[in-house]
Amino acid sequence: MNFKAICSDIDGTLLNSERDLSPRLKSVINQFPKDFPVILASSRMPDAMRHLLRDLGKSNEPLIAYNGGFVLDKLGDVLDSVDIPLNLVAKILEMTRKTEIHVSLYHGENWYEPKEDYWSKREIQNTKVEPTWMSGNDVLDLWAKDNLGAHKVMVMGESNEISWLFGELHLAYSADLHLYRSKDTYIEIAPRKISKATALKLVLENLYDFGMEEVIAFGDNYNDIDLIQKVGWGVAVANARPEVKAVAKEITLHHKEDGVAATLERMRIEG
């Protein structure tokens, strides 16, 4: 296999069982040319991705954050920004008000958490980023001043409540929102009109002289399906959802078994 760029999801795909980059993966990436693009595409915020690029020795790379809602070029300048309108964010908050569901709000470089609890501590540990502590209503007031919305709303809680909310949101707002059930206890909410694939296409058109057909991409979850379908070689890790495996051209090892590195080693040898 011979490709001109790598695009990869992070959680459940690129990271190992310690939620980190393995020495094997870093070694493989290090053997590619210095200017070979490694583009991360994630539901994470930018700062939860940058430390991974630094660890790969790839600091000056574009970033596809929030599943494609916030796209940065190599210098950190904004290529695209698509958010959930403020009135929809307010409706999500209203729907969760009488539940135990935890709501995290994101815009650009900012992550807002209402309180320190199990869910917020878990996200801090997983992403290595510290949030701004602010209630949902105060965030709405702050964003209203600048006519901003949310690049991502993440709701976390007990699986029955999350299932209820998923159903209600799907029924009312499926035309406006992407709802990713990344786990039974999570929903990641993004604007409907964006995806990792639309963001990657934009990055390539603005920064490179090749197209989607010359990219190899890796993923594991529903928000990776479009990306894996649209690139030249889409790879699902063994732990991927069945729907992701169904559209992939290759199924590699489990993310805990260095599936991305295993495929890239073969690419390096053959390329």
Side-chain angles (χ1 to χ4, degrees), residues 96-157:
T96 62
R97 208 170 301 283
K98 294 181 180 179
T99 71
E100 294 298 315
I101 292 171
H102 180 108
V103 182
S104 302
L105 300 173
Y106 299 82
H107 181 92
E109 303 287 351
N110 297 301
W111 165 28
Y112 299 96
E113 282 290 339
K115 60 185 176 181
E116 188 174 19
D117 62 7
Y118 167 79
W119 300 107
S120 59
K121 288 177 182 175
R122 181 170 171 167
E123 281 305 298
I124 291 167
Q125 181 181 344
N126 288 346
T127 62
K128 300 180 173 66
V129 178
E130 286 289 332
T132 298
W133 302 100
M134 188 180 292
S135 74
N137 284 338
D138 287 345
V139 175
L140 291 180
D141 291 341
L142 177 69
W143 286 349
K145 293 173 186 174
D146 296 315
N147 197 28
L148 301 177
H151 283 122
K152 182 174 80 167
V153 178
M154 185 159 68
V155 296
M156 299 171 282

Short mmCIF file of all heavy atoms in Angstrom, two decimals, residues 96-157:
data_model
loop_
_atom_site.label_atom_id
_atom_site.label_comp_id
_atom_site.label_asym_id
_atom_site.label_seq_id
_atom_site.Cartn_x
_atom_site.Cartn_y
_atom_site.Cartn_z
N THR A 96 -32.43 17.77 30.14
CA THR A 96 -31.66 17.01 31.14
C THR A 96 -31.83 17.57 32.55
O THR A 96 -31.33 16.98 33.50
CB THR A 96 -30.16 17.03 30.79
OG1 THR A 96 -29.68 18.39 30.82
CG2 THR A 96 -29.90 16.44 29.42
N ARG A 97 -32.56 18.67 32.69
CA ARG A 97 -32.58 19.39 33.97
C ARG A 97 -33.11 18.55 35.13
O ARG A 97 -32.64 18.65 36.25
CB ARG A 97 -33.40 20.68 33.84
CG ARG A 97 -32.94 21.77 34.80
CD ARG A 97 -33.59 23.10 34.49
NE ARG A 97 -33.33 23.60 33.16
CZ ARG A 97 -32.18 24.17 32.78
NH1 ARG A 97 -31.18 24.27 33.63
NH2 ARG A 97 -32.05 24.62 31.55
N LYS A 98 -34.11 17.71 34.86
CA LYS A 98 -34.71 16.91 35.94
C LYS A 98 -34.17 15.49 35.97
O LYS A 98 -34.79 14.59 36.52
CB LYS A 98 -36.23 16.90 35.79
CG LYS A 98 -36.85 18.28 36.01
CD LYS A 98 -38.36 18.24 35.88
CE LYS A 98 -38.95 19.63 36.11
NZ LYS A 98 -40.43 19.65 35.96
N THR A 99 -33.01 15.29 35.37
CA THR A 99 -32.37 13.97 35.37
C THR A 99 -31.03 14.05 36.11
O THR A 99 -30.62 15.12 36.56
CB THR A 99 -32.09 13.51 33.92
OG1 THR A 99 -31.02 14.30 33.37
CG2 THR A 99 -33.32 13.65 33.04
N GLU A 100 -30.36 12.92 36.19
CA GLU A 100 -29.01 12.88 36.77
C GLU A 100 -27.94 12.97 35.67
O GLU A 100 -26.75 12.78 35.94
CB GLU A 100 -28.82 11.57 37.56
CG GLU A 100 -29.70 11.45 38.79
CD GLU A 100 -29.40 12.54 39.81
OE1 GLU A 100 -28.21 12.78 40.08
OE2 GLU A 100 -30.36 13.14 40.32
N ILE A 101 -28.36 13.26 34.46
CA ILE A 101 -27.43 13.30 33.33
C ILE A 101 -26.47 14.48 33.44
O ILE A 101 -26.87 15.60 33.74
CB ILE A 101 -28.22 13.37 31.99
CG1 ILE A 101 -28.97 12.05 31.76
CG2 ILE A 101 -27.28 13.65 30.82
CD1 ILE A 101 -29.94 12.09 30.60
N HIS A 102 -25.20 14.19 33.20
CA HIS A 102 -24.13 15.20 33.26
C HIS A 102 -23.92 15.77 31.85
O HIS A 102 -23.80 15.02 30.88
CB HIS A 102 -22.84 14.52 33.74
CG HIS A 102 -21.66 15.42 33.84
ND1 HIS A 102 -21.15 15.84 35.05
CD2 HIS A 102 -20.89 16.00 32.89
CE1 HIS A 102 -20.10 16.63 34.83
NE2 HIS A 102 -19.94 16.75 33.52
N VAL A 103 -23.90 17.09 31.74
CA VAL A 103 -23.76 17.75 30.44
C VAL A 103 -22.46 18.55 30.37
O VAL A 103 -22.22 19.43 31.20
CB VAL A 103 -24.95 18.69 30.15
CG1 VAL A 103 -24.81 19.32 28.76
CG2 VAL A 103 -26.27 17.95 30.27
N SER A 104 -21.62 18.23 29.40
CA SER A 104 -20.39 18.98 29.14
C SER A 104 -20.57 19.78 27.86
O SER A 104 -21.12 19.27 26.87
CB SER A 104 -19.20 18.02 28.96
OG SER A 104 -19.03 17.20 30.09
N LEU A 105 -20.09 21.03 27.86
CA LEU A 105 -20.25 21.92 26.72
C LEU A 105 -18.89 22.34 26.18
O LEU A 105 -17.98 22.66 26.96
CB LEU A 105 -21.05 23.16 27.13
CG LEU A 105 -22.48 22.90 27.66
CD1 LEU A 105 -23.09 24.19 28.18
CD2 LEU A 105 -23.35 22.28 26.57
N TYR A 106 -18.78 22.38 24.85
CA TYR A 106 -17.50 22.70 24.21
C TYR A 106 -17.68 23.73 23.10
O TYR A 106 -18.62 23.64 22.31
CB TYR A 106 -16.91 21.45 23.56
CG TYR A 106 -16.59 20.31 24.50
CD1 TYR A 106 -17.59 19.43 24.92
CD2 TYR A 106 -15.28 20.07 24.94
CE1 TYR A 106 -17.30 18.36 25.76
CE2 TYR A 106 -14.99 19.00 25.77
CZ TYR A 106 -16.00 18.16 26.18
OH TYR A 106 -15.71 17.09 27.01
N HIS A 107 -16.76 24.67 23.06
CA HIS A 107 -16.66 25.56 21.91
C HIS A 107 -15.19 25.91 21.69
O HIS A 107 -14.52 26.43 22.59
CB HIS A 107 -17.44 26.86 22.10
CG HIS A 107 -17.36 27.75 20.89
ND1 HIS A 107 -18.28 27.71 19.87
CD2 HIS A 107 -16.42 28.66 20.50
CE1 HIS A 107 -17.93 28.56 18.93
NE2 HIS A 107 -16.79 29.15 19.28
N GLY A 108 -14.69 25.61 20.49
CA GLY A 108 -13.31 25.93 20.16
C GLY A 108 -12.32 25.33 21.15
O GLY A 108 -12.30 24.12 21.37
N GLU A 109 -11.53 26.19 21.77
CA GLU A 109 -10.51 25.74 22.71
C GLU A 109 -11.04 25.61 24.14
O GLU A 109 -10.27 25.34 25.07
CB GLU A 109 -9.33 26.73 22.71
CG GLU A 109 -8.69 26.94 21.34
CD GLU A 109 -7.85 25.75 20.89
OE1 GLU A 109 -7.63 24.83 21.69
OE2 GLU A 109 -7.43 25.75 19.71
N ASN A 110 -12.34 25.81 24.33
CA ASN A 110 -12.90 25.87 25.68
C ASN A 110 -13.83 24.70 25.98
O ASN A 110 -14.67 24.33 25.16
CB ASN A 110 -13.66 27.19 25.87
CG ASN A 110 -12.74 28.38 25.74
OD1 ASN A 110 -11.77 28.52 26.48
ND2 ASN A 110 -13.04 29.26 24.79
N TRP A 111 -13.67 24.17 27.20
CA TRP A 111 -14.49 23.06 27.69
C TRP A 111 -15.08 23.50 29.02
O TRP A 111 -14.35 23.89 29.93
CB TRP A 111 -13.61 21.82 27.83
CG TRP A 111 -14.18 20.69 28.64
CD1 TRP A 111 -15.49 20.38 28.83
CD2 TRP A 111 -13.44 19.70 29.37
NE1 TRP A 111 -15.61 19.25 29.63
CE2 TRP A 111 -14.37 18.83 29.96
CE3 TRP A 111 -12.08 19.47 29.56
CZ2 TRP A 111 -13.98 17.75 30.75
CZ3 TRP A 111 -11.69 18.40 30.34
CH2 TRP A 111 -12.63 17.54 30.93
N TYR A 112 -16.39 23.42 29.13
CA TYR A 112 -17.10 23.88 30.33
C TYR A 112 -17.75 22.70 31.06
O TYR A 112 -18.50 21.92 30.46
CB TYR A 112 -18.16 24.90 29.96
CG TYR A 112 -17.60 26.13 29.29
CD1 TYR A 112 -17.57 26.23 27.90
CD2 TYR A 112 -17.07 27.18 30.04
CE1 TYR A 112 -17.05 27.36 27.27
CE2 TYR A 112 -16.54 28.31 29.42
CZ TYR A 112 -16.53 28.38 28.04
OH TYR A 112 -16.01 29.49 27.43
N GLU A 113 -17.48 22.62 32.36
CA GLU A 113 -18.05 21.58 33.21
C GLU A 113 -18.85 22.23 34.35
O GLU A 113 -18.38 23.18 34.97
CB GLU A 113 -16.95 20.72 33.81
CG GLU A 113 -16.37 19.69 32.86
CD GLU A 113 -17.35 18.57 32.56
OE1 GLU A 113 -18.30 18.36 33.34
OE2 GLU A 113 -17.19 17.92 31.52
N PRO A 114 -20.05 21.72 34.65
CA PRO A 114 -20.87 22.32 35.70
C PRO A 114 -20.40 22.00 37.11
O PRO A 114 -20.61 22.77 38.04
CB PRO A 114 -22.26 21.73 35.46
CG PRO A 114 -21.98 20.41 34.79
CD PRO A 114 -20.75 20.62 33.96
N LYS A 115 -19.76 20.84 37.30
CA LYS A 115 -19.35 20.44 38.64
C LYS A 115 -18.32 19.32 38.57
O LYS A 115 -18.18 18.65 37.55
CB LYS A 115 -20.56 19.95 39.44
CG LYS A 115 -21.26 18.74 38.82
CD LYS A 115 -22.52 18.36 39.57
CE LYS A 115 -23.24 17.21 38.87
NZ LYS A 115 -24.49 16.83 39.57
N GLU A 116 -17.61 19.15 39.66
CA GLU A 116 -16.63 18.07 39.76
C GLU A 116 -17.34 16.82 40.28
O GLU A 116 -17.85 16.80 41.40
CB GLU A 116 -15.49 18.46 40.70
CG GLU A 116 -14.35 17.47 40.70
CD GLU A 116 -13.15 17.94 41.51
OE1 GLU A 116 -13.33 18.83 42.34
OE2 GLU A 116 -12.06 17.40 41.32
N ASP A 117 -17.42 15.81 39.45
CA ASP A 117 -18.05 14.55 39.83
C ASP A 117 -17.33 13.40 39.11
O ASP A 117 -16.27 13.60 38.51
CB ASP A 117 -19.55 14.55 39.52
CG ASP A 117 -19.86 14.72 38.03
OD1 ASP A 117 -18.92 14.71 37.20
OD2 ASP A 117 -21.06 14.87 37.69
N TYR A 118 -17.91 12.22 39.17
CA TYR A 118 -17.31 11.05 38.55
C TYR A 118 -17.03 11.29 37.07
O TYR A 118 -15.96 10.96 36.55
CB TYR A 118 -18.24 9.84 38.73
CG TYR A 118 -17.89 8.65 37.86
CD1 TYR A 118 -16.85 7.78 38.21
CD2 TYR A 118 -18.59 8.41 36.67
CE1 TYR A 118 -16.53 6.70 37.40
CE2 TYR A 118 -18.28 7.32 35.86
CZ TYR A 118 -17.24 6.47 36.24
OH TYR A 118 -16.92 5.41 35.43
N TRP A 119 -18.01 11.90 36.37
CA TRP A 119 -17.90 12.06 34.92
C TRP A 119 -16.84 13.07 34.54
O TRP A 119 -16.04 12.84 33.62
CB TRP A 119 -19.26 12.44 34.34
CG TRP A 119 -20.32 11.42 34.60
CD1 TRP A 119 -21.37 11.51 35.48
CD2 TRP A 119 -20.41 10.11 34.02
NE1 TRP A 119 -22.11 10.36 35.46
CE2 TRP A 119 -21.55 9.48 34.57
CE3 TRP A 119 -19.66 9.42 33.06
CZ2 TRP A 119 -21.94 8.20 34.21
CZ3 TRP A 119 -20.04 8.15 32.69
CH2 TRP A 119 -21.17 7.54 33.27
N SER A 120 -16.83 14.20 35.22
CA SER A 120 -15.83 15.22 34.87
C SER A 120 -14.42 14.75 35.22
O SER A 120 -13.47 14.98 34.46
CB SER A 120 -16.14 16.54 35.57
OG SER A 120 -16.17 16.40 36.97
N LYS A 121 -14.26 14.08 36.36
CA LYS A 121 -12.94 13.56 36.73
C LYS A 121 -12.44 12.55 35.70
O LYS A 121 -11.25 12.53 35.36
CB LYS A 121 -13.01 12.89 38.11
CG LYS A 121 -13.16 13.87 39.27
CD LYS A 121 -13.29 13.12 40.59
CE LYS A 121 -13.49 14.06 41.75
NZ LYS A 121 -13.74 13.32 43.03
N ARG A 122 -13.36 11.73 35.21
CA ARG A 122 -13.00 10.72 34.21
C ARG A 122 -12.51 11.38 32.92
O ARG A 122 -11.52 10.96 32.32
CB ARG A 122 -14.21 9.83 33.95
CG ARG A 122 -13.98 8.72 32.95
CD ARG A 122 -15.15 7.77 32.97
NE ARG A 122 -15.06 6.82 31.88
CZ ARG A 122 -15.82 5.73 31.81
NH1 ARG A 122 -16.69 5.46 32.76
NH2 ARG A 122 -15.69 4.90 30.80
N GLU A 123 -13.21 12.43 32.48
CA GLU A 123 -12.81 13.11 31.25
C GLU A 123 -11.48 13.83 31.41
O GLU A 123 -10.66 13.87 30.49
CB GLU A 123 -13.90 14.10 30.81
CG GLU A 123 -15.08 13.45 30.12
CD GLU A 123 -14.66 12.61 28.92
OE1 GLU A 123 -14.08 13.18 27.96
OE2 GLU A 123 -14.88 11.39 28.93
N ILE A 124 -11.25 14.42 32.56
CA ILE A 124 -9.97 15.09 32.82
C ILE A 124 -8.84 14.07 32.75
O ILE A 124 -7.79 14.31 32.13
CB ILE A 124 -9.99 15.78 34.21
CG1 ILE A 124 -10.95 16.99 34.19
CG2 ILE A 124 -8.59 16.24 34.61
CD1 ILE A 124 -11.27 17.54 35.56
N GLN A 125 -9.05 12.91 33.36
CA GLN A 125 -8.03 11.86 33.34
C GLN A 125 -7.79 11.34 31.92
O GLN A 125 -6.65 11.14 31.50
CB GLN A 125 -8.47 10.71 34.24
CG GLN A 125 -7.47 9.57 34.31
CD GLN A 125 -7.96 8.43 35.21
OE1 GLN A 125 -8.89 8.60 35.99
NE2 GLN A 125 -7.33 7.27 35.08
N ASN A 126 -8.87 11.15 31.16
CA ASN A 126 -8.74 10.58 29.82
C ASN A 126 -8.11 11.54 28.82
O ASN A 126 -7.36 11.12 27.93
CB ASN A 126 -10.12 10.16 29.29
CG ASN A 126 -10.65 8.91 30.00
OD1 ASN A 126 -9.91 8.22 30.69
ND2 ASN A 126 -11.93 8.65 29.85
N THR A 127 -8.42 12.83 28.94
CA THR A 127 -8.00 13.79 27.92
C THR A 127 -6.78 14.62 28.30
O THR A 127 -6.19 15.28 27.46
CB THR A 127 -9.15 14.77 27.58
OG1 THR A 127 -9.49 15.51 28.77
CG2 THR A 127 -10.37 14.02 27.08
N LYS A 128 -6.43 14.61 29.61
CA LYS A 128 -5.30 15.41 30.11
C LYS A 128 -5.52 16.90 29.89
O LYS A 128 -4.58 17.66 29.65
CB LYS A 128 -3.98 14.95 29.47
CG LYS A 128 -3.62 13.49 29.75
CD LYS A 128 -2.32 13.10 29.09
CE LYS A 128 -1.87 11.70 29.49
NZ LYS A 128 -2.75 10.63 29.01
N VAL A 129 -6.78 17.33 29.97
CA VAL A 129 -7.14 18.74 29.84
C VAL A 129 -7.97 19.14 31.05
O VAL A 129 -8.76 18.34 31.56
CB VAL A 129 -7.96 18.98 28.54
CG1 VAL A 129 -8.39 20.44 28.43
CG2 VAL A 129 -7.15 18.58 27.31
N GLU A 130 -7.80 20.38 31.51
CA GLU A 130 -8.59 20.90 32.62
C GLU A 130 -9.73 21.77 32.07
O GLU A 130 -9.49 22.64 31.23
CB GLU A 130 -7.71 21.74 33.56
CG GLU A 130 -6.77 20.92 34.43
CD GLU A 130 -7.48 20.14 35.53
OE1 GLU A 130 -8.56 20.59 35.98
OE2 GLU A 130 -6.95 19.09 35.93
N PRO A 131 -10.95 21.56 32.56
CA PRO A 131 -12.08 22.36 32.07
C PRO A 131 -12.18 23.71 32.78
O PRO A 131 -11.50 23.96 33.78
CB PRO A 131 -13.29 21.49 32.42
CG PRO A 131 -12.86 20.80 33.69
CD PRO A 131 -11.38 20.54 33.53
N THR A 132 -13.08 24.55 32.26
CA THR A 132 -13.53 25.74 32.97
C THR A 132 -14.80 25.35 33.74
O THR A 132 -15.72 24.78 33.15
CB THR A 132 -13.85 26.88 31.98
OG1 THR A 132 -12.66 27.22 31.28
CG2 THR A 132 -14.38 28.11 32.71
N TRP A 133 -14.83 25.63 35.03
CA TRP A 133 -15.98 25.24 35.85
C TRP A 133 -17.05 26.34 35.76
O TRP A 133 -16.85 27.46 36.21
CB TRP A 133 -15.54 25.02 37.30
CG TRP A 133 -14.48 23.97 37.41
CD1 TRP A 133 -13.14 24.17 37.55
CD2 TRP A 133 -14.67 22.55 37.35
NE1 TRP A 133 -12.48 22.96 37.58
CE2 TRP A 133 -13.38 21.95 37.46
CE3 TRP A 133 -15.79 21.72 37.22
CZ2 TRP A 133 -13.19 20.57 37.45
CZ3 TRP A 133 -15.60 20.35 37.20
CH2 TRP A 133 -14.32 19.79 37.31
N MET A 134 -18.18 26.00 35.14
CA MET A 134 -19.23 26.98 34.93
C MET A 134 -20.55 26.25 34.67
O MET A 134 -20.57 25.25 33.95
CB MET A 134 -18.88 27.87 33.72
CG MET A 134 -19.81 29.05 33.50
SD MET A 134 -19.32 30.06 32.05
CE MET A 134 -17.79 30.77 32.64
N SER A 135 -21.63 26.73 35.24
CA SER A 135 -22.93 26.08 35.03
C SER A 135 -23.37 26.23 33.58
O SER A 135 -22.96 27.16 32.87
CB SER A 135 -23.98 26.72 35.95
OG SER A 135 -24.34 28.00 35.48
N GLY A 136 -24.25 25.33 33.16
CA GLY A 136 -24.75 25.36 31.80
C GLY A 136 -25.43 26.69 31.46
O GLY A 136 -25.24 27.24 30.37
N ASN A 137 -26.23 27.21 32.38
CA ASN A 137 -26.92 28.48 32.13
C ASN A 137 -25.95 29.64 31.99
O ASN A 137 -26.15 30.53 31.15
CB ASN A 137 -27.91 28.78 33.26
CG ASN A 137 -29.17 27.93 33.15
OD1 ASN A 137 -29.50 27.43 32.08
ND2 ASN A 137 -29.86 27.74 34.27
N ASP A 138 -24.88 29.63 32.79
CA ASP A 138 -23.88 30.69 32.68
C ASP A 138 -23.13 30.59 31.34
O ASP A 138 -22.77 31.62 30.75
CB ASP A 138 -22.88 30.61 33.84
CG ASP A 138 -23.49 31.08 35.16
OD1 ASP A 138 -24.56 31.71 35.11
OD2 ASP A 138 -22.90 30.81 36.22
N VAL A 139 -22.90 29.36 30.87
CA VAL A 139 -22.27 29.19 29.55
C VAL A 139 -23.18 29.74 28.46
O VAL A 139 -22.73 30.44 27.54
CB VAL A 139 -21.94 27.71 29.28
CG1 VAL A 139 -21.40 27.53 27.87
CG2 VAL A 139 -20.92 27.19 30.30
N LEU A 140 -24.49 29.45 28.54
CA LEU A 140 -25.44 29.99 27.57
C LEU A 140 -25.39 31.51 27.54
O LEU A 140 -25.39 32.13 26.48
CB LEU A 140 -26.86 29.52 27.90
CG LEU A 140 -27.18 28.03 27.71
CD1 LEU A 140 -28.63 27.76 28.09
CD2 LEU A 140 -26.92 27.57 26.29
N ASP A 141 -25.34 32.14 28.73
CA ASP A 141 -25.28 33.60 28.81
C ASP A 141 -23.99 34.13 28.18
O ASP A 141 -23.99 35.13 27.47
CB ASP A 141 -25.36 34.05 30.27
CG ASP A 141 -26.73 33.80 30.88
OD1 ASP A 141 -27.70 33.62 30.11
OD2 ASP A 141 -26.83 33.78 32.12
N LEU A 142 -22.89 33.43 28.45
CA LEU A 142 -21.59 33.82 27.90
C LEU A 142 -21.59 33.74 26.38
O LEU A 142 -21.16 34.68 25.69
CB LEU A 142 -20.49 32.92 28.47
CG LEU A 142 -19.06 33.13 27.97
CD1 LEU A 142 -18.51 34.47 28.47
CD2 LEU A 142 -18.16 31.97 28.41
N TRP A 143 -22.08 32.63 25.85
CA TRP A 143 -22.11 32.43 24.40
C TRP A 143 -23.08 33.38 23.71
O TRP A 143 -22.84 33.81 22.58
CB TRP A 143 -22.46 30.98 24.07
CG TRP A 143 -21.34 30.02 24.34
CD1 TRP A 143 -20.05 30.33 24.64
CD2 TRP A 143 -21.42 28.59 24.32
NE1 TRP A 143 -19.31 29.18 24.81
CE2 TRP A 143 -20.13 28.10 24.63
CE3 TRP A 143 -22.45 27.68 24.09
CZ2 TRP A 143 -19.84 26.73 24.70
CZ3 TRP A 143 -22.16 26.31 24.16
CH2 TRP A 143 -20.87 25.85 24.46
N ALA A 144 -24.18 33.71 24.37
CA ALA A 144 -25.19 34.60 23.78
C ALA A 144 -24.58 35.96 23.44
O ALA A 144 -24.96 36.58 22.44
CB ALA A 144 -26.37 34.76 24.72
N LYS A 145 -23.64 36.42 24.25
CA LYS A 145 -23.01 37.74 24.03
C LYS A 145 -22.26 37.78 22.70
O LYS A 145 -22.16 38.84 22.08
CB LYS A 145 -22.04 38.05 25.18
CG LYS A 145 -22.72 38.26 26.52
CD LYS A 145 -21.69 38.40 27.63
CE LYS A 145 -22.36 38.46 28.99
NZ LYS A 145 -21.36 38.46 30.10
N ASP A 146 -21.71 36.66 22.28
CA ASP A 146 -20.92 36.61 21.04
C ASP A 146 -21.59 35.81 19.94
O ASP A 146 -20.96 35.46 18.94
CB ASP A 146 -19.53 36.03 21.34
CG ASP A 146 -18.73 36.91 22.28
OD1 ASP A 146 -18.72 38.13 22.05
OD2 ASP A 146 -18.12 36.37 23.22
N ASN A 147 -22.87 35.46 20.15
CA ASN A 147 -23.62 34.69 19.16
C ASN A 147 -22.93 33.37 18.83
O ASN A 147 -22.79 32.99 17.66
CB ASN A 147 -23.84 35.51 17.88
CG ASN A 147 -24.94 34.93 17.01
OD1 ASN A 147 -25.87 34.29 17.50
ND2 ASN A 147 -24.83 35.14 15.70
N LEU A 148 -22.48 32.67 19.85
CA LEU A 148 -21.79 31.39 19.69
C LEU A 148 -22.73 30.23 20.02
O LEU A 148 -23.73 30.40 20.71
CB LEU A 148 -20.57 31.31 20.61
CG LEU A 148 -19.48 32.36 20.43
CD1 LEU A 148 -18.40 32.16 21.48
CD2 LEU A 148 -18.90 32.31 19.03
N GLY A 149 -22.37 29.04 19.53
CA GLY A 149 -23.06 27.81 19.90
C GLY A 149 -22.04 26.80 20.38
O GLY A 149 -20.90 27.14 20.70
N ALA A 150 -22.42 25.53 20.42
CA ALA A 150 -21.54 24.46 20.90
C ALA A 150 -20.97 23.68 19.73
O ALA A 150 -21.71 23.23 18.85
CB ALA A 150 -22.29 23.52 21.83
N HIS A 151 -19.65 23.50 19.71
CA HIS A 151 -19.07 22.58 18.74
C HIS A 151 -19.39 21.14 19.13
O HIS A 151 -19.49 20.26 18.27
CB HIS A 151 -17.55 22.77 18.67
CG HIS A 151 -17.16 23.98 17.89
ND1 HIS A 151 -16.41 25.00 18.42
CD2 HIS A 151 -17.43 24.33 16.62
CE1 HIS A 151 -16.22 25.93 17.49
NE2 HIS A 151 -16.83 25.55 16.39
N LYS A 152 -19.55 20.92 20.43
CA LYS A 152 -19.96 19.59 20.90
C LYS A 152 -20.69 19.72 22.23
O LYS A 152 -20.33 20.54 23.06
CB LYS A 152 -18.74 18.67 21.08
CG LYS A 152 -19.12 17.25 21.54
CD LYS A 152 -17.93 16.29 21.59
CE LYS A 152 -17.09 16.44 22.82
NZ LYS A 152 -16.13 15.32 22.99
N VAL A 153 -21.73 18.92 22.36
CA VAL A 153 -22.35 18.71 23.67
C VAL A 153 -22.16 17.24 23.99
O VAL A 153 -22.48 16.37 23.16
CB VAL A 153 -23.86 19.05 23.66
CG1 VAL A 153 -24.48 18.77 25.03
CG2 VAL A 153 -24.08 20.51 23.26
N MET A 154 -21.60 16.95 25.15
CA MET A 154 -21.44 15.55 25.55
C MET A 154 -22.28 15.31 26.80
O MET A 154 -22.16 16.04 27.79
CB MET A 154 -19.99 15.20 25.82
CG MET A 154 -19.80 13.71 26.12
SD MET A 154 -18.11 13.14 25.87
CE MET A 154 -17.26 13.99 27.19
N VAL A 155 -23.15 14.31 26.72
CA VAL A 155 -23.97 13.96 27.87
C VAL A 155 -23.57 12.57 28.36
O VAL A 155 -23.33 11.67 27.56
CB VAL A 155 -25.48 14.02 27.54
CG1 VAL A 155 -25.89 15.45 27.20
CG2 VAL A 155 -25.85 13.10 26.40
N MET A 156 -23.48 12.45 29.68
CA MET A 156 -23.01 11.20 30.28
C MET A 156 -23.91 10.86 31.46
O MET A 156 -24.35 11.75 32.18
CB MET A 156 -21.57 11.35 30.76
CG MET A 156 -20.59 11.67 29.65
SD MET A 156 -18.92 12.10 30.25
CE MET A 156 -19.17 13.78 30.81
N GLY A 157 -24.15 9.56 31.65
CA GLY A 157 -24.99 9.16 32.77
C GLY A 157 -25.34 7.69 32.72
O GLY A 157 -24.82 6.92 31.91
#
